Amino acid sequence: MSGNDSQGGSDGRASIGDLARRANLRSLRVAIVYVLLAVAAYQISGWMFLHIRDFLGMLFLAWLGSVTIEPVVDRLERAGLRRGAGTGLVLFGTILFAIGFIAIFGALLAEQLAQLLGALPDALTHVTEWANKQFGTDFATGKDLINITPETIQSLAERFTPGVLGVVSTLVGAVFQAATVLLFVFYMSAQGPQLRKTISSWFPARQQKVIATVWEISVDKAGGYVVSRVILAACSAVATGIFFLVIGVPYWLPLAIWTGVVSQFIPTIGTYLAIGLPAIIAAAAQPLDAVWVVLFGTAYQQIENYLLHPRITSRTVAIHPAVAFGSVIVGASLFGAIGALVSVPVVAVIQAIVETYGRRYELVQEVDAESGASEDDDRDRDDGD
């Protein structure tokens, strides 16, 4: 009996061990399948993102445009105008303004921009040679860096200048992309309330309040950021253009637009980039004008920081410069120029949402320090008594 019992026990232990090994093998197979599925999903998502990246960028740009014009559309709707008609009126006014600007300044802008691109290498060379002469440096000039020769210019022109078919296809593509963005802007703004109701209907009542709050934050912060930056860029471009025209800086119109756009839409280093190019162009024509350009840029920056910026951007989110600069780099790497443009408003929305729903706690060190100070005060009082 004891032998049979021992044999039965060993068989039982063996069967239990076999079951455990089979279970482990089954778990290993399931884990391998999940890992393979995860890798496949990662590869497929990466492939899809690579092919629809431009479309996603246009979609983000359309969202940014829709939340920018939504406050104006809301006012028109409250005034009695249908929301679709109000959205169309705002978009039509924007397009009409762009056409008017091109009609008035388009020819001058194109002419000065072409001249500026042609004169830029010589201006860089002239400034570098002047710096070498005045400060005893030995920086390479633009010609040495680029090694420009007539043969090089001819080969570059043959390589990068498109033919008639290339120009037509480029124009058609640009018009199609602009029409696509405007179409999405129209539908996102005209049907914004219906879209929010549709999304909210998929969630319980508590989540519906969260969606409404997030929607309001997005419209308020992202739209307010873009509007404030556009206003500041326009003010900067107008003031800079008038100053350049008065002191006789060449190519004043494209340089003024460059200064306004770059100084407002590139965080941290945008101010220096904005004034650096006009200073180089001015120094190539008259070195003293470069000093005036730098002084004007510095003075205007102080006026903007202390007078214009606090009043115009009072309703927007204050983003740390390092965070804003990092978001531009990430957005540009993901979606190109469109990503760089929409990255800061998106970060502003995320930061506002975090500040709305996030919770902060007291630092332990400060609490301990305060409690220690109160205990010391109590001891002092006891000693005094």
Side-chain angles (χ1 to χ4, degrees), residues 16-94:
I16 293 174
D18 292 338
L19 291 175
R21 283 193 295 271
R22 291 174 184 174
N24 292 333
L25 288 175
R26 191 180 302 109
S27 301
L28 180 61
R29 292 193 193 99
V30 172
I32 292 174
V33 170
Y34 278 126
V35 169
L36 292 177
L37 290 175
V39 172
Y42 173 78
Q43 295 292 335
I44 293 173
S45 60
W47 176 82
M48 291 182 60
F49 177 79
L50 183 64
H51 285 78
I52 65 173
R53 181 176 59 181
D54 295 337
F55 174 75
L56 291 177
M58 289 191 297
L59 203 61
F60 272 115
L61 188 61
W63 167 78
L64 190 60
S66 66
V67 299
T68 301
I69 67 173
E70 187 157 340
V72 181
V73 175
D74 289 339
R75 290 185 180 181
L76 293 177
E77 187 179 17
R78 288 194 296 268
L81 195 64
R82 293 178 57 187
R83 189 172 185 86
T87 304
L89 183 63
V90 173
L91 292 179
F92 179 75
T94 304

Side-chain angles (χ1 to χ4, degrees), residues 219-235:
V219 173
D220 186 31
K221 300 304 179 182
Y225 176 86
V226 175
V227 171
S228 63
R229 290 298 169 180
V230 169
I231 294 174
L232 288 173
C235 294

